[in-house]
Amino acid sequence: MNESKIIEKIMKPSTKKIVNSICLKNKFLKYGFDSEIIRPGNDFDIFYPMNIRKDNKKIIIGGLYNNRNKEHRGRKRVDLFLEVAKKLKDILPDKIEIHMMGDDILKEKNIVDFYLKSPSEKEKNKFFNRVDIWVTFSCSEGLHIPPQEAMLSEACVVGVDEELAGTQDYLINDRTGIVLKSTEIDYILTMLKILIFDSEQRNFFGKTGRKKILELGDREENMKKLINIFERDMEKK
């Protein structure tokens, strides 16, 4: 079944069409279905700046690890992250560390300096607060939550320019972070090296990124919006 048929099957029976991100709204608009965006929101009381990043002895590059299956690993471009990480460590061995987080068993221990497996929310917040630059190459996400949690900790976020990357709602190039225009290795390395040696730019994106996520609303606030929509529709009936 092609994409248009799948979307029609999902959307046509719905009386109220609600999506969680700009990328999904735009995808459905292509096939004539309008929708309202209600984002899941984040927990602002769980993810917040701890002011510990300044204690890092090296610049920490962070990313999400996934080895669940070939499809998941490919969609999240884990191998691209690891290739970039390895080359960065070869170029700047005394300047950077690679930290990753995930639920699967890490195989690439020769590349990753620190791995946090199946963390609690408290552990995740501390992890994000250590990361200087969070990098996401994922090419297909509904609404990518880990970069938002990293931004709430004031980490600088770097993402990719993809229709379904899941970052269009909050990652705005040169304003709240960096949106890469290519996944070519040398280009990525050049962009990351600029950030590695420019603490002012990292700090700027950290502050503006956090502000943007706060503007999108927390989980409770966005759930109230969803309930209000349902109540409105019930009153009409």
Side-chain angles (χ1 to χ4, degrees), residues 12-237:
K12 212 164 187 180
S14 308
T15 54
K16 191 69 181 179
K17 299 167 179 63
I18 298 170
V19 294
N20 67 0
S21 62
I22 289 171
C23 66
L24 289 178
K25 182 178 177 70
N26 290 341
K27 174 66 74 175
F28 292 144
L29 272 175
K30 281 170 62 175
Y31 298 102
F33 294 102
D34 198 6
S35 56
E36 187 164 351
I37 298 175
I38 300 292
R39 298 177 178 88
N42 289 275
D43 297 305
F44 298 159
D45 58 332
I46 294 176
F47 298 99
Y48 55 87
M50 297 174 67
N51 199 31
I52 58 174
R53 197 170 284 114
K54 65 183 187 303
D55 300 327
N56 291 347
K57 291 181 172 57
K58 295 183 180 182
I59 300 299
I60 295 176
I61 311 293
L64 200 64
Y65 185 77
N66 190 294
N67 199 33
R68 192 176 310 163
N69 56 49
K70 191 175 180 180
E71 188 272 330
H72 274 83
R73 189 177 173 105
R75 180 160 56 85
K76 295 177 186 298
R77 290 178 171 149
V78 174
D79 292 317
L80 176 61
F81 179 91
L82 290 167
E83 185 177 357
V84 169
K86 185 178 185 307
K87 287 183 181 294
L88 270 178
K89 290 184 76 173
D90 288 342
I91 298 166
L92 303 167
D94 300 321
K95 186 73 176 174
I96 68 158
E97 285 186 5
I98 304 300
H99 291 201
M100 297 191 81
M101 176 177 65
D103 293 323
D104 303 308
I105 296 171
L106 178 72
K107 293 184 175 181
E108 296 79 4
K109 294 179 181 179
N110 60 319
I111 300 174
V112 180
D113 298 290
F114 175 77
Y115 181 60
L116 186 62
K117 185 177 182 295
S118 304
S120 66
E121 300 288 40
K122 187 176 180 180
E123 289 171 329
K124 280 170 68 178
N125 187 49
K126 189 173 182 181
F127 177 90
F128 286 128
N129 270 275
R130 287 290 185 197
V131 168
D132 292 286
I133 305 170
W134 180 264
V135 181
T136 170
F137 295 134
S138 184
C139 61
S140 179
E141 302 281 351
L143 185 64
H144 209 182
I145 297 295
Q148 296 181 58
E149 294 170 345
M151 289 166 103
L152 283 171
S153 81
E154 295 188 353
C156 169
V157 171
V158 175
V160 290
D161 186 15
E162 297 272 2
E163 182 186 26
L164 295 177
T167 53
Q168 291 181 22
D169 297 68
Y170 51 87
L171 190 59
I172 304 164
N173 192 43
D174 282 336
R175 287 174 57 193
T176 63
I178 295 293
V179 179
L180 300 169
K181 296 176 174 59
S182 166
T183 53
E184 197 270 325
I185 297 286
D186 287 341
Y187 166 73
I188 294 171
L189 291 172
T190 298
M191 298 303 290
L192 288 177
K193 281 190 287 184
I194 290 170
L195 290 172
I196 287 167
F197 287 99
D198 192 339
S199 61
E200 284 190 16
Q201 193 171 30
R202 292 198 310 271
N203 292 336
F204 172 77
F205 290 142
K207 299 289 185 187
T208 57
R210 174 174 166 78
K211 183 179 177 183
K212 180 63 178 177
I213 301 302
L214 292 174
E215 289 171 358
L216 296 180
D218 66 10
R219 200 178 300 277
E220 184 178 354
E221 180 183 342
N222 289 352
M223 187 55 64
K224 286 178 181 176
K225 290 179 184 177
L226 186 60
I227 291 169
N228 287 339
I229 288 173
F230 287 136
E231 286 178 344
R232 250 188 355 249
D233 282 5
M234 291 296 291
E235 287 171 5
K236 289 176 184 177
K237 294 176 182 179

